[in-house]
Amino acid sequence: MGWKFSDDVPLYQQIMDGIKQRIATGDWAPGQKLPSVRELAVEAGVNPNTMQKALAELEREGLLYAKRTAGRFVAERDEITEGLQEEMLQSYVKEFLDNMESLGYSLKDAAALLQRMSQQEERKGE
Amino acid sequence: MEELIRCRGLSKRYGKVLGLEDLSLSIPAGKIVGILGPNGSGKTTLIKMLCGLLVPEAGEVLIDGKPVGTESKAVVSYLPERPYFSDAMRISEVVDFFEEFYGDFRRETAERMLQTLGLDFDKKISALSKGNREKVQLVLVMSREAKVYLLDEPMGGVDPAARDFILKTILTNYNEDASVLISTHLISDVENVLDDVIFIKQGRLALYKSVDEIRMEKNKSVDALFREVFAC
Amino acid sequence: MLGKLLKYDLKRQAKLLLAAYLVVGLTAGISAIFRLVNANFEDATGVMNIVSGLTSGMATLAIVVMVAGTLIYTVLYFRKNLFKDEGYLMHTLPVKSWQLYFSKLIAGTLYSYLSILVAIAALCLAFLHIPNLPEIISQALAAGVPEWFFAVTLFILALSMPVCLIQFYVSLVFGYTVRTNTKTPVNKDLMSVISYIVLYMAQQIISLGAILIWALANIGSITDSDLLDSVEMAGTQAATEVFGMFKGIYAITIVLMVFLSVGLSVLSVWRMKKHLDLS
C-alpha cells in the first residue's frame, strides 16, 4: 500500500487521487475510520499541511466526512462513492486511449488489439 | 498572526566576500520550510544568525517576538552539519546533558527513538559509526519541544534508510506551534515534506514560495526549478 | 545555569586530572617506600641510596609535570569546548556568554588549587618530611617580618592562579574572534599566541608605569627615609622599614592584577558575544 508521487504535480492533488483510488478499489471501505492526519502524513512521507489540504478537499467533495471529535471517515456507500469508480474508470480508459493515440492507434485499432489480447488469454486458459 | 521568525535587513560581510545582503523574511509557525541554495550562498550564515552563533552587522532577528539571546536559544533547537558532542561522552551522558540544559527536552521520546535505532546507551560517541552519530544528534534535537527547529544539511552523507528515518522523525514531531527549517542542497529528497521553500542566491533572498505554488505555476518540481535558478 | 555549567566542566576534566593525581600519588608513594627502606636498613653498596634518590627525583618530576599539565590541560579544554566543534553546542545553549567563560575560570582555578595541594602533599610524602610551618613562621616574625606579609603573600599567590588562566583564556578569545577579512582561513591558534604576547607586553608596560608613578610619588620618602640607613641597621628594625616600603608595591600589584584581569575578562566576554565566528 505504498504512496508514489511524481514531482511536477502538486502533492495534494496526487494525494487526493491516491485516496480516491483506495476508496474506489475498496481498500478504504465505506464508513472506515481514517488514521490521524499526522499518521497519514508520516505514512505517505508528506507534509501534514499538504495531507490536511487533500483531506479537506475530499471532505468538500463528499468522499470523506468528519465527526466532531471522533475523526475522519470514508463516506458511506452512495452515489458519490459509486460515481467515483465510474470517474476512475473513465480516467484510466482515457489515459489508455491517449497513449494508444500517441502511437498512432485509433480507437478502432485499440479495440481490435484488446480483442486479440482477450482471445490469447482464453486460449492460454485451455 | 505574529510571525514565529522575523528577519529584517540582515547583512554580513566577510571582507570583500558577501555573506548575506539585506535579507528580510517572515516565517509563520506550523511550517516545514526548505532553505535552498548552493554551498556558499548564505544558507549557513542565515541559520547561524537564527541560532545565535553569528551576530549580523546590520538588521535584526526576532524569534517568537524576542531578539536572539538566551531566551530565544531556549526555544530554538539546532542541528549543525558537524558533530558537536564530545567524543568521550556516552550516549546516556549526552541525554542527561540535554535534559539538564533544556527545559523542553522530552527524555522518554529520545530514549524511545534511540532504542528503536538499536543503540546501546552505554556506548561512547567515539565508538559509533558516522551515520549513528548523526542519528543520535538528530534524535536529541528533535526530542525537544522547541518552537523552531534548525536543521543544517541533516541528510548530507547519510544512507537512504537513514534519510527516511530523518524525514519520518521530522514528520512525526510536526507541531502546529513550531516550525522546522531545513537547509539542504539535496532537494528531491525533501520536497514532499516541505510546505514552503526559500531560495538563497549570493546572499540574497531569491524566492519564497510554497511547493504547491511552484508546481502549479511552473509545472515542474522544486528540484527542477532550483537547477534552473542556480544554473552555472 | 552557571552551576550546571560548572558541574559539567568539572566532570569533563575530572577523568584525566584525577588520573594524573593518582599517578603522582603512586610515584610519591614509591619514593617514600624507598626512602624508608634506605633509612632503616644498612646497605654497604650504597645502591639503595641511589635508587632512593632516583625515585624521589621521578616523583618530583611527576609532580612538576602534573602541576604544569593541569594548567595546560585546562587551557586546552577551554579552547576545545568553546572554539572547536563543541562550541556549536555550548554557544547555542540558553546560557549567557559570561557564564560560559566564568564557569571555566572557576573550574580551572579549582583544579589548579587542587593540583598545588596534591603537589605539596606528594612532596611531603616523597621526601618523608613535613616542614614545620608554625616554627618557620614564628622565626620569621621574630626576625622582623610583619604579620600581614604571610596573609598578603598567600593572597597574591592564590590570585595568581586565576589571573594566569585569564591571560590564556583571554588570548584564546581574542585569537579566535579575529575578524577574517576574506573567507580564507586564518590560523587562530597563531592569533591567540600573538594576542598573548601583545597582552603580556601591554600589561608589563602598565605595571612598570604604575610602579614608576608610585616610586615618583614616594621619592621623598625613599631617599630621605631611613631605608638607606637601615642598610646599616641590624635586625628587626631594618626588616620593618623594608617591608613597610613594600606594602605600597604589594598594594599596587594586587590592584593591578585584579583590575587588568577583570577588565580583560569583560572585554573578552563582550568579544565572544558579539564577534563569535566558529568555522
Side-chain angles (χ1 to χ4, degrees):
Chain A
M1 237 267 286
W3 295 83
K4 285 240 170 338
F5 298 114
S6 69
D7 59 9
D8 49 359
V9 175
L11 264 177
Y12 82 93
Q13 274 173 15
Q14 296 183 57
I15 294 174
M16 283 172 67
D17 290 341
I19 293 180
K20 283 183 185 173
Q21 195 172 36
R22 283 162 174 77
I23 296 178
T25 59
D27 220 352
W28 283 12
Q32 177 178 318
K33 181 164 195 283
L34 263 56
S36 71
V37 179
R38 175 165 329 178
E39 280 171 308
L40 281 169
V42 173
E43 186 196 304
V46 301
N47 188 294
N49 288 326
T50 309
M51 179 59 73
Q52 172 63 25
K53 191 168 170 186
L55 295 174
E57 268 302 305
L58 289 170
E59 260 185 65
R60 212 164 323 194
E61 288 184 14
L63 285 163
L64 301 173
Y65 69 92
K67 243 199 277 190
R68 200 66 68 81
T69 47
R72 272 205 185 84
F73 299 80
V74 180
E76 300 298 335
R77 185 166 290 292
D78 64 359
E79 309 96 58
I80 295 180
T81 53
E82 271 159 13
L84 181 62
Q85 203 165 47
E86 181 64 36
E87 186 188 314
M88 302 212 72
L89 276 170
Q90 294 267 13
S91 85
Y92 286 159
V93 171
K94 180 170 188 302
E95 194 181 328
F96 169 70
L97 291 174
D98 282 342
N99 286 335
M100 289 291 113
E101 196 181 308
S102 74
L103 287 172
Y105 271 53
S106 70
L107 179 55
K108 265 213 181 113
D109 299 325
L113 174 66
L114 287 171
Q115 265 270 10
R116 267 206 311 277
M117 288 176 76
S118 160
Q119 283 165 356
Q120 279 176 343
E121 275 293 309
E122 270 176 52
R123 256 178 256 137
K124 269 202 221 137
E126 284 161 12
Chain B
M1 177 182 43
E2 184 65 51
E3 303 293 43
L4 185 58
I5 300 175
R6 185 109 157 271
C7 303
R8 256 203 297 237
L10 292 181
S11 298
K12 170 120 189 133
R13 276 183 167 271
Y14 294 93
K16 288 205 189 114
V17 177
L18 200 57
L20 285 182
E21 175 130 354
D22 199 24
L23 188 106
S24 302
L25 51 79
S26 282
I27 300 177
K31 298 276 183 182
I32 302 180
V33 181
I35 303 186
L36 315 176
N39 288 326
S41 56
K43 301 189 305 250
T44 304
T45 307
L46 174 62
I47 294 202
K48 282 185 179 175
M49 287 186 184
L50 293 174
C51 66
L53 281 178
L54 209 60
V55 173
E57 284 161 8
E60 61 164 4
V61 178
L62 291 176
I63 308 253
D64 204 20
K66 298 171 216 139
V68 171
T70 312
E71 273 187 72
S72 77
K73 288 176 185 178
V75 298
V76 172
S77 197
Y78 169 56
L79 180 70
E81 222 182 322
R82 64 197 54 213
Y84 66 178
F85 291 131
S86 153
D87 270 358
M89 286 174 94
R90 296 174 200 279
I91 295 183
S92 56
E93 291 174 325
V94 165
V95 172
D96 290 338
F97 182 88
F98 260 63
E99 190 179 37
E100 179 96 6
F101 283 94
Y102 292 114
D104 57 14
F105 183 66
R106 296 289 155 253
R107 199 192 177 95
E108 325 79 50
T109 311
E111 288 181 340
R112 203 190 345 113
M113 279 200 268
L114 289 168
Q115 267 158 8
T116 310
L117 287 167
L119 291 169
D120 177 12
F121 279 47
D122 273 332
K123 251 195 166 157
K124 289 202 171 166
I125 300 276
S126 53
L128 296 174
S129 66
K130 178 169 184 264
N132 275 340
R133 234 181 281 199
E134 295 180 358
K135 284 183 197 165
V136 168
Q137 270 185 205
L138 177 86
V139 164
L140 284 156
V141 166
M142 298 308 288
S143 296
R144 278 183 59 194
E145 266 175 31
K147 293 233 173 106
V148 175
Y149 297 88
L150 298 171
L151 312 179
D152 198 346
E153 302 279 0
M155 287 169 312
V158 144
D159 64 76
R163 254 180 259 153
D164 284 344
F165 172 79
I166 293 170
L167 291 173
K168 185 161 170 239
T169 308
I170 294 172
L171 288 175
T172 314
N173 277 286
Y174 171 80
N175 162 10
E176 18 181 63
D177 295 321
S179 283
V180 179
L181 271 64
I182 307 175
S183 146
T184 184
H185 56 274
L186 297 169
I187 297 142
S188 45
D189 290 335
V190 277
E191 212 173 310
N192 287 353
V193 153
L194 303 176
D195 279 297
D196 304 327
V197 294
I198 291 173
F199 282 9
I200 307 246
K201 190 173 185 180
Q202 289 168 341
R204 290 173 171 278
L205 180 68
L207 181 120
Y208 184 0
K209 276 192 158 79
S210 76
V211 174
D212 282 344
E213 267 179 293
I214 291 175
R215 288 189 179 188
M216 281 198 288
E217 282 174 30
K218 324 246 178 185
N219 247 339
K220 49 171 78 97
S221 66
V222 177
D223 190 35
L225 179 65
F226 180 86
R227 286 163 207 262
E228 255 182 44
V229 171
F230 291 101
C232 307
Chain C
M1 279 300 172
L2 180 62
K4 293 182 184 179
L5 283 171
L6 183 57
K7 203 174 102 181
Y8 174 71
D9 285 329
L10 287 171
K11 234 174 97 179
R12 277 287 302 282
Q13 299 180 85
K15 295 174 198 170
L16 194 121
L17 291 175
L18 291 179
Y21 299 159
L22 213 71
V23 168
V24 162
L26 272 168
T27 57
I30 292 174
S31 163
I33 291 172
F34 277 105
R35 279 199 170 256
L36 263 174
V37 166
N38 195 27
N40 292 322
F41 290 95
E42 286 296 333
D43 177 23
T45 59
V47 167
M48 252 320 135
N49 231 348
I50 296 172
V51 172
S52 156
L54 265 172
T55 53
S56 297
M58 303 278 305
T60 311
L61 187 66
I63 290 167
V64 169
V65 166
M66 181 268 292
V67 173
T70 299
L71 187 70
I72 294 172
Y73 179 70
T74 300
V75 170
L76 288 176
Y77 172 75
F78 181 88
R79 172 176 170 272
K80 182 168 184 252
N81 192 252
L82 290 182
F83 294 110
K84 297 292 169 192
D85 285 351
E86 286 173 46
Y88 280 82
L89 177 61
M90 301 312 281
H91 288 281
T92 51
L93 288 174
V95 300
K96 302 228 181 260
S97 295
W98 71 262
Q99 288 170 325
L100 288 171
Y101 178 88
F102 205 47
S103 92
K104 294 206 166 32
L105 184 60
I106 296 176
T109 303
L110 286 175
Y111 275 123
S112 61
Y113 286 159
L114 188 58
S115 74
I116 298 283
L117 288 173
V118 168
I120 293 173
L123 278 173
C124 292
L125 177 62
F127 289 90
L128 288 177
H129 170 68
I130 297 174
N132 194 339
L133 217 51
E135 202 188 304
I136 296 176
I137 292 180
S138 58
Q139 276 180 352
L141 284 171
V145 177
E147 286 167 349
W148 56 258
F149 178 75
F150 297 101
V152 171
T153 304
L154 197 65
F155 183 63
I156 290 186
L157 284 173
L159 252 190
S160 67
M161 289 266 125
V163 164
C164 179
L165 277 175
I166 288 175
Q167 299 294 311
F168 287 111
Y169 286 1
V170 166
S171 301
L172 278 168
V173 172
F174 287 156
Y176 272 85
T177 56
V178 153
R179 194 187 156 107
T180 44
N181 261 324
T182 54
K183 267 193 165 176
T184 56
V186 155
N187 189 329
K188 300 204 170 161
D189 288 327
L190 184 63
M191 290 291 121
S192 301
V193 169
I194 293 175
S195 297
Y196 184 85
I197 294 171
V198 169
L199 281 173
Y200 179 78
M201 295 198 299
Q203 286 172 99
Q204 287 293 79
I205 293 172
I206 293 174
S207 304
L208 279 172
I211 296 209
L212 207 66
I213 293 172
W214 173 87
L216 287 170
N218 290 295
I219 195 111
S221 50
I222 294 178
T223 49
D224 68 24
S225 83
D226 311 310
L227 181 62
L228 295 174
D229 300 330
S230 72
V231 170
E232 291 146 12
M233 264 189 264
T236 61
Q237 230 202 330
T240 317
E241 286 294 339
V242 171
F243 280 106
M245 196 79 8
F246 283 111
K247 234 192 205 170
I249 296 189
Y250 266 27
I252 294 177
T253 307
I254 293 176
V255 166
L256 266 179
M257 265 173 138
V258 171
F259 206 62
L260 286 171
S261 301
V262 168
L264 284 172
S265 296
V266 166
L267 200 65
S268 60
V269 167
W270 173 82
R271 190 86 197 150
M272 212 165 51
K273 196 167 155 191
K274 294 284 177 200
H275 289 90
L276 185 70
D277 190 4
L278 300 171
S279 64

